[in-house]
């Protein structure tokens, strides 16, 4: 029987580091981001192994539903809490911020002491296009979205409408 390698006992405040969409992690745990005083653990989009260690992941592994990632985060936060006996802090970036915020909202955050959200996705799935009658990037997209919105309004009471936002000036 092969035994799992022994890890040094955790020291410092436990922190789960969560990268964003299309990120990857090769399993290297030698580079501390936060410095002394923290027990840093990486969130793995692929999950934990049989010994509750994060599994290396690639960009394709980040392309999972938010509910699935929230369940995975719950599993990983609980594993860290069980190993350390302390509440866990979360430092998350971009899509990781969206997952962390959804996790705290879904669970009440009982196992989490603090969450730091860096570069959060404020309005996921947004697009920009110019107003009708103007020129610029996204003219065709604007017409398609307005057409889809009109078609949906014709068959249901659900109101979806493209929201006009200022766009970048045409740089051509």
């Amino acid at each position: 029987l092969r035994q799992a390698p022994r890890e040094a006992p955790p020291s410092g405040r436990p922190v789960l580091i969560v990268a964003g969409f299309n990120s990857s992690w090769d399993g290297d745990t030698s580079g501390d981001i936060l410095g002394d005083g923290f027990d840093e653990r990486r969130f793995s989009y692929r999950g934990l192994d049989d010994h509750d260690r994060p599994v290396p992941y690639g960009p394709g592994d980040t392309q999972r539903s938010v509910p699935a990632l929230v369940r995975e985060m719950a599993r990983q936060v609980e594993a860290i809490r069980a190993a350390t006996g302390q509440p866990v802090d979360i430092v998350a970036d971009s899509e990781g911020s969206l997952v962390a915020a959804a996790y705290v909202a879904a669970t009440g955050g009982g196992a989490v002491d603090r969450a730091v959200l860096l570069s959060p996705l404020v309005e996921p799935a947004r697009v920009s296009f110019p107003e009708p009658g103007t020129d610029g990037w996204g003219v065709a997209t604007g017409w398609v979205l307005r057409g889809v919105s009109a078609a949906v309004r014709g068959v249901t009471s659900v109101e979806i409408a493209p929201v006009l936002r200022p766009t970048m000036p045409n740089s051509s």
Side-chain angles (χ1 to χ4, degrees):
L1 254 186
R2 195 173 146 202
Q3 285 189 325
R6 290 197 174 263
E7 294 182 14
S11 62
R13 185 178 189 100
V15 179
L16 182 63
I17 307 290
V18 189
F21 181 74
N22 231 15
S23 62
S24 61
W25 178 60
D26 63 5
D28 181 10
T29 58
S30 63
D32 284 348
I33 297 169
L34 302 175
D36 293 339
F38 298 96
D39 174 17
E40 295 178 32
R41 313 283 179 107
R42 280 295 211 128
F43 174 75
S44 172
Y45 283 89
R46 282 189 58 206
L48 300 175
D49 66 14
D50 293 339
H51 303 286
D52 285 340
R53 291 180 304 229
V55 176
Y57 67 89
D61 298 312
T62 67
Q63 299 176 22
R64 296 172 59 191
S65 72
V66 172
L69 292 171
V70 166
R71 286 189 297 276
E72 188 58 54
M73 183 169 283
R75 181 172 175 233
Q76 293 182 39
V77 166
E78 287 304 323
I80 295 168
R81 185 175 181 173
T84 65
Q86 300 178 53
V88 178
D89 292 341
I90 297 175
V91 176
D93 179 51
S94 191
E95 180 193 33
S97 292
L98 178 67
V99 175
Y103 162 76
V104 170
T107 65
V112 173
D113 191 25
R114 295 182 187 119
V116 178
L117 308 180
L118 307 169
S119 222
L121 300 173
V122 178
E123 293 182 66
R126 65 184 183 271
V127 296
S128 295
F129 50 89
E131 294 184 40
T134 60
D135 200 13
W137 289 101
V139 169
T141 301
W143 282 109
V144 169
L145 287 173
R146 285 187 284 275
V148 168
S149 297
V152 169
R153 277 193 306 273
V155 296
T156 181
S157 61
V158 174
E159 177 65 32
I160 64 167
V163 177
L164 296 175
R165 300 194 187 283
T167 58
M168 297 290 291
N170 194 346
S171 59
S172 55

